Amino acid sequence: MLILSRKIDQKICIGNDIVLTIIDVKGDQVKIGVEAPGSVKVYRQEVFQAIQSENKAAASQPSREQLSRIFG
């Protein structure tokens, strides 16, 4: 893990297309702005994990087509 110190309005570049900007720092909360192409999906970790869990659950359930083949 790379650990960087930044001040308000300073930026971090990731590759050629992603820029993180420190917007505000209040106590233990940091506001970060993310500039990325529309093709790059950006999620908070807890949202990303929820999406992954839902996708796994949906993939393990039989589809309507599979059910109609089984039950006619």
Side-chain angles (χ1 to χ4, degrees), residues 20-39:
L20 306 178
T21 304
I22 306 306
I23 304 297
D24 194 19
V25 179
K26 287 184 182 175
D28 63 350
Q29 187 176 43
V30 178
K31 290 185 181 178
I32 300 171
V34 180
E35 296 175 55
S39 61

Side-chain angles (χ1 to χ4, degrees), residues 5-72:
S5 296
R6 300 276 74 202
K7 295 179 181 177
I8 293 175
D9 292 328
Q10 291 183 326
K11 300 177 184 298
I12 298 168
C13 296
I14 301 174
N16 294 322
D17 298 330
I18 300 172
V19 178
L20 306 178
T21 304
I22 306 306
I23 304 297
D24 194 19
V25 179
K26 287 184 182 175
D28 63 350
Q29 187 176 43
V30 178
K31 290 185 181 178
I32 300 171
V34 180
E35 296 175 55
S39 61
V40 175
K41 294 181 178 8
V42 179
Y43 300 104
R44 296 187 327 246
Q45 183 181 15
E46 62 274 15
V47 172
F48 180 77
Q49 288 173 337
I51 291 168
Q52 294 294 342
S53 294
E54 288 294 320
N55 288 343
K56 286 179 186 176
S60 67
Q61 295 176 358
S63 68
R64 288 183 181 172
E65 183 180 314
Q66 290 170 327
L67 289 173
S68 68
R69 276 189 249 142
I70 294 170
F71 297 109

